[in-house]
């Protein structure tokens, strides 16, 4: 049996439109209603037809939904929930796809004190944004981390988990605070580093007169892809996962200082040992099938 019959997606950008497309493909009998605050996004959604209908307000979009998924920037989840609170059916499940979870659990449970709130995070995306960037296979073979609030109904948790499994994801359940510490290392810090290195190179360009662009290849190009990610989305992630990001950044700065010292004192063994350890980490990720060229191609060209 399908976990939900009438799904409403609020926010029809990269992730919202990908969820809609994936539902179409994997659960074609499920009715998908969409809403976006931006009229031009609603118009594009109507043209691309990845929803059965596009509503004119958040309230109208949720009116008979049994699952509502918020696919908007992390910093406005609570405000958007308040917009549709009065129209939300009592037995509907409210979820989201936000990239950090503790603050969202707090904001959604505060905005919807009587609703069934089961947040989730599909750990899948690209540097692109908007409804044209979405694609149905985005979540296939990717993790989706479900982060229920304390005391959440296990039946609702299982329905949300089954929904994501049907979209092709592998599901894990985690406490929101634990999620935020893990993702601070595996996703948020790497983005911060990419933003920094590309910004630094951009500043240096004035000195080197365009050599940065001319000779950018390999490693630097990979950083520029990540550093092209949506500014609103990432501003909100850093402001809403502040504690965990600052903790991991402190740790990272210490490790960077050790490397700096090794280079200064010509400690080749320290450099060699670290690079050997990191190469083994990359190889074990590839062996576990969590990364391959086909998937990378799909993510950047989908
Ligand atoms: N991009 C990724 O790689 C990725 C991956 C996983 C999760 N996420 C999370 O998914 C969420 C959406 O990210 P995205 O990449 O799809 O962004 P996006 O910019 O492509 O889409 C966001 C959409 O939300 C709409 N929106 C903004 N304010 C709104 C409001 N008040 N009411 C209704 N709609 C509103 C925007 O018009 C836009 O169409 C974020 O919370 C992000 O953290 C992103
Ligand atoms: O592949 C990318 O472009 C991404 O940045 C995707 C990525 C990630 O860091 O893995 C970014 C943020 C999301 O919350 C989940 C996935």
């Amino acid at each position: 049996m399908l976990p939900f019959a009438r799904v409403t997606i609020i926010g029809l950008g990269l992730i919202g439109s990908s969820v809609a497309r994936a539902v179409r493909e994997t659960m074609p009998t499920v009715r998908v209603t969409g809403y976006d605050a931006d009229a031009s996004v609603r118009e594009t959604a109507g043209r691309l037809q990845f929803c059965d209908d596009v509503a004119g307000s958040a309230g109208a979009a949720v009116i008979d939904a049994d699952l509502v998924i918020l696919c908007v920037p992390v910093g406005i989840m609570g405000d958007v929930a308040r917009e549709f609170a009065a129209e939300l059916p009592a037995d509907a499940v409210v979820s989201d796809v936000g990239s950090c979870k503790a603050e969202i659990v707090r904001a959604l449970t505060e905005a919807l004190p009587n609703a069934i709130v089961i947040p989730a995070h599909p750990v899948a995306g690209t540097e692109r944004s908007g409804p044209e960037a979405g694609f149905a296979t985005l979540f296939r073979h990717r993790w989706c981390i479900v982060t229920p609030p304390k005391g959440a109904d296990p039946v609702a948790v299982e329905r949300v988990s089954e929904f994501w499994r049907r979209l092709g994801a592998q599901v894990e359940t985690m406490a929101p605070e634990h999620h935020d510490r893990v993702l601070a290392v595996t996703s948020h810090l790497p983005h911060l580093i990419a933003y920094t290195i590309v910004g630094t190179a951009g500043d240096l360009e004035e000195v080197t007169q365009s050599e940065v662009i001319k000779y950018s290849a390999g490693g630097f190009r990979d950083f520029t892809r990540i550093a092209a990610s949506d500014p609103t989305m990432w501003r909100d992630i850093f402001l809403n996962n502040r504690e965990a990001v600052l903790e991991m950044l402190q740790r990272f700065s210490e490790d960077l200082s050790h490397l700096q010292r090794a280079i200064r004192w010509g400690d080749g063994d320290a450099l060699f040992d670290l690079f050997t350890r990191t190469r083994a980490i990359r190889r074990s990720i590839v062996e576990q099938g969590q990364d391959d060229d086909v998937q990378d191609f799909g993510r950047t060209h989908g």
Side-chain angles (χ1 to χ4, degrees):
M1 201 178 110
L2 292 171
F4 298 99
R6 296 174 305 281
V7 175
T8 290
I9 300 170
I10 310 241
L12 299 173
L14 169 72
I15 301 297
S17 74
S18 295
V19 172
R21 288 169 165 106
V23 171
R24 264 278 157 83
E25 208 170 280
T26 61
M27 296 178 271
T29 58
V30 170
R31 195 205 61 197
V32 179
T33 299
Y35 169 69
D36 197 287
D38 183 332
S40 70
V41 173
R42 294 201 298 274
E43 191 272 317
T44 305
R47 183 168 46 81
L48 297 177
Q49 298 198 341
F50 48 69
C51 294
D52 295 295
D53 55 289
V54 178
S57 71
V62 305
I63 214 137
D64 64 350
D66 56 5
L67 173 66
V68 177
I69 311 181
L70 283 87
C71 302
V72 299
V74 164
I76 57 166
M77 294 280 178
D79 291 343
V80 174
R82 266 183 285 276
E83 245 181 272
F84 64 69
E87 278 83 19
L88 184 72
D91 56 355
V93 174
V94 177
S95 190
D96 76 292
V97 295
S99 302
C100 55
K101 303 294 353 158
E103 186 49 33
I104 292 179
V105 170
R106 194 202 58 71
L108 290 184
T109 49
E110 187 184 293
L112 305 168
N114 302 315
I116 306 162
V117 174
I118 313 287
H121 176 205
V123 188
T126 75
E127 73 285 11
R128 301 175 66 207
S129 315
E132 319 229 27
F135 53 104
T137 55
L138 177 62
F139 311 109
R140 215 178 272 173
H141 309 306
R142 297 277 162 182
W143 286 105
C144 180
I145 305 175
V146 178
T147 61
K150 280 196 185 77
D153 173 13
V155 174
V157 175
E158 177 46 31
R159 287 174 77 198
V160 171
S161 302
E162 179 57 17
F163 175 81
W164 282 102
R165 275 186 224 111
R166 296 229 178 202
L167 301 196
Q170 273 179 278
V171 176
E172 188 75 68
T173 305
M174 221 179 255
E177 294 74 17
H178 185 64
H179 165 282
D180 288 357
R181 295 189 79 235
V182 173
L183 271 290
V185 186
T186 59
S187 175
H188 307 168
L189 195 55
H191 277 78
L192 197 66
I193 293 166
Y195 282 125
T196 312
I197 187 96
V198 175
T200 305
D203 291 344
L204 286 175
E205 182 159 350
E206 288 180 13
V207 182
T208 60
Q209 313 251 336
S210 93
E211 283 175 327
V212 169
I213 302 300
K214 190 167 161 192
Y215 299 116
S216 78
F220 185 70
R221 276 192 103 80
D222 290 349
F223 278 117
T224 61
R225 183 186 79 76
I226 296 291
S229 300
D230 188 68
T232 303
M233 168 179 159
W234 284 96
R235 176 203 62 199
D236 281 13
I237 291 172
F238 290 119
L239 295 181
N240 286 278
N241 195 22
R242 186 167 40 182
E243 297 303 321
V245 168
L246 288 177
E247 181 191 335
M248 299 310 164
L249 192 56
Q250 171 70 28
R251 179 67 197 267
F252 176 78
S253 306
E254 286 167 19
D255 290 348
L256 198 59
S257 298
H258 281 124
L259 267 188
Q260 199 175 0
R261 192 165 332 120
I263 294 169
R264 185 183 308 286
W265 295 105
D267 185 353
D269 287 348
L271 299 176
F272 187 85
D273 289 349
L274 174 67
F275 302 160
T276 304
R277 195 154 58 82
T278 57
R279 172 182 266 191
I281 291 170
R282 164 70 188 178
R283 285 183 176 163
S284 78
I285 289 172
V286 173
E287 271 161 27
Q288 283 171 38
Q290 288 175 22
D291 195 277
D292 60 55
D293 290 344
V294 175
Q295 245 172 17
D296 281 346
F297 184 85
R299 282 153 68 202
T300 46
H301 296 81

